[in-house]
Amino acid sequence: MERKKLVVLTGAGISAESGIATFRDANGLWEGHDVMEVASPEGWQKNQALVLDFYNQRRKQAFQAKPNPGHLALAELEKKFAVTVITQNVDHLHEQAGSTNVIHLHGSLFQSRSTADESLVYPIKGWELKLGDKCEKNSQLRPNIVWFGEMVPLMDQAIAETQQADIFMVVGTSLMVYPAAGLVHYVPAKAPIYVIDPNLPAVNKRTNMHLISEKAGVALPELAQKLLQAV
Ligand code: OAD
């Protein structure tokens, strides 16, 4: 029998229990910085050293973080479901937990890319990307992260996956940032949607929607067991 397709949209909340701060729980400040200073092309133009250092610190922190029961439950669901994780997170905790099919909608902390040619993407060795680190075309490297005001290159792929979902989950995201937040509108009407967040985001109610006001590390293992037993 063909496996059911489970598509999961995750946000910062799923990594919260691994010790990585979410964005909007901190009053618009992100680890002490105005989000626009560290996550926009304008911020980069203004102060490249500050932006590089900011992501170096995030990378250092991410190296120390470990997947929590929420990430692990999503990996376990691969035993019986065809799972696609669409994450807004730039950490790699889904992969570390064992998920094999992860779309990083907002890029990766562990890659750099050329400021002259965005098709030139490189792995970052170690935790530090510095002023003076250059691509093969001799331009400064920047983090391969989608900043505010930039295109989301993997959005079409994420929409195509969502349109094929038999089951959809939304975990740990405030659904404040588009286009990612709009993915919910592409879920087929017949597919149940599970929303897991202790502070539930505003979503249009529809039939077949289950709102679970709980932490991911608690609710996801429970839901995963339920779904695995029902197959
Ligand atoms: P937000 O910080 O906006 O939202 C985090 C959500 O996680 C909130 O709804 C919290 O209630 C919820 N949350 C907190 N702890 C949780 C837990 N233990 N379990 C489950 N949920 C929990 O983060 P995102 O929605 O991911 O973009 O933000 C979207 C984008 O905005 C990010 O990808 C980032 C940011 O600017 C870029 O960096 C490009």
Side-chain angles (χ1 to χ4, degrees), residues 11-13 17 22-24 88 106 146 148 172-174 177 197-199 216:
E17 289 158 85
T22 61
F23 304 97
R24 283 164 197 85
Q88 299 165 83
H106 291 164
V146 176
F148 283 100
T173 172
S174 61
V177 173
D197 196 308
N199 183 14

Side-chain angles (χ1 to χ4, degrees), residues 32-148:
H33 291 278
D34 176 342
V35 174
M36 295 310 278
E37 280 198 346
V38 292
S40 74
E42 294 77 15
W44 173 250
Q45 290 314 328
K46 216 166 102 189
N47 194 340
Q48 298 189 356
L50 176 89
V51 174
L52 288 171
D53 182 59
F54 176 77
Y55 286 101
N56 287 342
Q57 297 309 321
R58 305 283 72 70
R59 202 172 298 113
K60 219 184 204 176
Q61 187 186 42
F63 270 129
Q64 283 157 11
K66 294 200 172 45
N68 66 57
H71 299 104
L72 294 167
L74 291 182
E76 197 172 336
L77 280 161
E78 291 192 15
K79 285 183 182 161
K80 293 197 180 166
F81 292 89
V83 182
T84 302
V85 177
I86 303 171
T87 188
Q88 299 165 83
N89 300 344
V90 295
D91 65 53
H92 280 193
L93 293 174
H94 285 302
E95 287 90 340
Q96 272 179 256
S99 286
T100 58
N101 189 14
V102 184
I103 298 175
H104 279 276
L105 216 47
H106 291 164
S108 165
L109 259 183
F110 302 99
Q111 290 176 338
S112 64
R113 87 165 190 243
S114 164
T115 44
D117 176 349
E118 53 184 70
S119 71
L120 295 176
V121 172
Y122 309 90
I124 297 177
K125 298 186 192 85
W127 64 275
E128 218 177 359
L129 186 64
K130 296 196 279 264
L131 267 186
D133 287 345
K134 299 207 169 142
C135 72
E136 65 216 54
K137 292 188 176 168
N138 211 29
S139 291
Q140 174 66 42
L141 290 170
R142 57 165 272 185
N144 187 27
I145 286 177
V146 176
W147 287 328
F148 283 100

